[in-house]
Amino acid sequence: MLQNFLVTGGAGFIGSNFTRYLQNNHPASFIVNLDLLTYAGSLENLKELPIPGKYHFIRGDIGDSSLVESILRDFNIDTIVHFAAESHVDRSLTGPSAFIQTNIVGTFTLLEAARVVWGENNKMDPSKVRFHHISTDEVFGSLKPGEPAFTETTPYAPNSPYAASKASSDHLVGSYARSFDLPVTISNCSNNYGAYQFPEKLIPLMILNALTGKPLPIYGDGMQIRDWLYVDDHCEAIWTILQNGEIGESYNIGGGNQPPNIEIVKTICDILDKSVGTPEDKCHADLVQFVKDRPGHDRRYAMDITKIKNELGWQPKFDFDQGLNRTIDWYLGHTDWLNAIIKEKEYQNWVQINYQGRE
Ligand code: NAD
Ligand code: DAU
């Protein structure tokens, strides 16, 4: 039924994993990937797709309404899975405007195109079309010690410009369902990790820096907590929602793994000590450096996944130990990918700006 997919941001971390997941598990799907190829997107993430004949790449902006409308028409798109976004909290603190443009205006443009094109010929039928929006647990703000995990009814309280832009996009998506009967679903997920994650985010950054003997910057005291979700589990959860999710509903997705940041970094170091050896009588953990904290840094996230578990039967398969070992193995086996990504000028600039602000 849902067959012709528009995946936005399919050259990014989660979007490329989802594209591969669809081709491996649901080979009848035809996929159009609309991606602007910002610093975070790379066609390196999509090499050797299993069914290249059922995949089409278009470089473009989700904020370009005529392009989006023509894609929906030309490819008879029945399912939009919307990943495209500016996704890095640190960058939203140094340059928020792209976050407003892509995450808010871009999402609005996609919604409007879907309303116009799917509204033609009476096609706004949940059995025929679907708009699935990928969002984040960051919209709920920060949990205090002892506070229960976020549920789908936790009030929104975003703290960073990134989180506020995602909260805004979630509200727009909900409004299109209620005002125009657009068949939407939303998922709010926790921190993903796994293959093809751009090495600005905690886990791949620590792997890369440890391998190249660079400092491992821990913001503040390193006792912040995230709810780590292996990306393969996330892809399966999205598919589950596409198949069985109730129209107009949102679903929390989390991995149930909540070690503090410093513990994660030390575990990465221990794994690397064993797998690649230690440099000159030192261990990788010697590279840890506590640096200035991120402004407005959320202390703790945790997701209550009761709804998706009870109503749709999804739960994560990977515990953190398995997921982290697989992730490190993947990075060790893909040094060509890593080298191609980090030689980009944009990456080097970001590293410089980020370090200058924190020393
Ligand atoms: P990413 O930064 O790795 O990839 C984003 C992709 O979007 C890139 O390929 C980029 O080129 C593309 N893009 C950016 N602006 C665009 C535009 N204007 N038009 C078209 N394409 C554009 O992000 P990710 O980590 O894969 O995250 C994907 C989605 O999941 C985002 O919506 C993010 O908010 C959400 N999310 C991510 C996480 C996480 O831990 N990574 C957790 C919760 C939610
Ligand atoms: O919670 C979901 C969110 O997870 C997504 O919506 C975002 O798109 C995604 O980027 C991620 O946001 P975080 O800010 O949690 O991810 P990041 O990897 O940047 O940081 C994870 C934690 O590690 C956070 O507490 C900050 C800390 N950190 C991060 C970096 C990059 C460090 O201590 N040092 C670092 O160098």
Side-chain angles (χ1 to χ4, degrees):
M1 205 183 40
L2 303 177
Q3 199 147 1
N4 292 335
F5 288 77
L6 172 60
V7 171
T8 71
F13 163 46
I14 307 174
S16 62
N17 276 283
F18 183 72
T19 299
R20 199 169 281 101
Y21 166 88
L22 265 187
Q23 290 224 322
N24 282 327
N25 296 284
H26 307 286
S29 318
F30 181 82
I31 305 166
V32 178
N33 171 14
L34 172 62
D35 195 299
L36 189 56
L37 298 183
T38 67
Y39 79 92
S42 173
L43 295 180
E44 297 283 325
N45 298 354
L46 291 156
K47 278 188 172 162
E48 293 162 20
L49 279 178
I51 323 176
K54 300 203 84 171
Y55 166 82
H56 185 79
F57 174 68
I58 296 173
R59 184 174 191 177
D61 192 332
I62 56 166
D64 179 343
S65 59
S66 54
L67 173 66
V68 176
E69 280 189 30
S70 70
I71 293 171
L72 295 184
R73 287 200 179 89
D74 295 350
F75 293 92
N76 197 19
I77 297 294
D78 52 46
T79 311
I80 299 173
V81 188
H82 176 33
F83 295 95
E86 287 294 332
S87 69
H88 192 33
V89 174
D90 286 334
R91 289 180 191 253
S92 83
L93 300 168
T94 53
S97 101
F99 289 71
I100 306 306
Q101 194 55 40
T102 289
N103 301 2
I104 305 178
V105 181
T107 301
F108 159 72
T109 308
L110 276 180
L111 288 164
E112 191 54 12
R115 180 177 80 86
V116 169
V117 175
W118 289 345
E120 291 162 3
N121 309 321
N122 224 6
K123 272 204 314 190
M124 203 81 97
D125 174 344
S127 69
K128 296 202 181 104
V129 291
R130 174 76 73 82
F131 188 112
H132 183 72
H133 177 60
I134 309 294
S135 191
T136 171
D137 57 2
E138 301 211 5
V139 298
F140 300 121
S142 186
L143 288 167
K144 296 193 178 65
E147 254 190 307
F150 303 127
T151 70
E152 289 77 1
T153 56
T154 301
Y156 277 29
N159 288 317
S160 69
Y162 163 71
S165 69
K166 293 297 288 187
S168 173
S169 66
D170 293 8
H171 290 316
L172 279 169
V173 173
S175 79
Y176 267 65
R178 291 184 291 275
S179 304
F180 306 119
D181 289 330
L182 191 73
V184 309
T185 40
I186 298 177
S187 49
N188 294 84
C189 73
S190 56
N191 287 63
N192 283 223
Y193 67 105
Y196 298 103
Q197 187 167 29
F198 191 80
E200 64 183 353
K201 308 283 166 58
L202 181 74
I203 289 180
L205 179 78
M206 295 300 153
I207 297 171
L208 170 67
N209 282 13
L211 288 174
T212 50
K214 297 210 174 75
L216 308 179
I218 308 285
Y219 300 168
D221 64 1
M223 291 307 289
Q224 303 83 3
I225 290 179
R226 303 293 184 257
D227 183 338
W228 295 91
L229 171 68
Y230 190 55
V231 67
D232 292 20
D233 277 332
H234 185 195
C235 292
E236 204 169 75
I238 295 168
W239 178 257
T240 304
I241 296 169
L242 286 171
Q243 291 305 296
N244 300 319
E246 199 162 318
I247 299 302
E249 289 295 305
S250 66
Y251 295 89
N252 281 0
I253 307 171
N257 305 294
Q258 295 153 10
N261 293 340
I262 183 67
E263 200 180 296
I264 294 175
V265 174
K266 288 194 170 153
T267 308
I268 292 172
C269 290
D270 291 347
I271 295 172
L272 289 178
D273 285 349
K274 289 191 193 105
S275 54
V276 299
T278 52
E280 297 163 4
D281 290 345
K282 291 186 168 172
C283 57
H284 288 97
D286 294 339
L287 297 166
V288 165
Q289 258 183 35
F290 289 89
V291 298
K292 198 160 118 197
D293 206 352
R294 174 188 277 176
H297 198 170
D298 287 337
R299 194 72 181 164
R300 179 167 77 96
Y301 305 142
M303 289 299 246
D304 182 334
I305 61 161
T306 307
K307 181 174 173 181
I308 189 168
K309 194 170 162 189
N310 289 354
E311 293 181 14
L312 308 185
W314 175 88
Q315 60 183 350
K317 293 194 175 116
F318 290 89
D319 66 27
F320 195 56
D321 195 38
Q322 290 169 309
L324 190 60
N325 275 290
R326 282 169 83 111
T327 303
I328 292 174
D329 280 351
W330 186 87
Y331 280 92
L332 291 177
H334 289 78
T335 44
D336 287 357
W337 178 88
L338 210 42
N339 288 333
I341 299 286
I342 61 175
K343 77 168 194 291
E344 295 294 326
K345 199 163 148 262
E346 174 84 38
Y347 183 76
Q348 299 303 336
N349 286 345
W350 175 76
V351 171
Q352 260 185 358
I353 291 165
N354 205 38
Y355 275 77
Q356 275 160 12
R358 295 189 189 282
E359 275 159 355

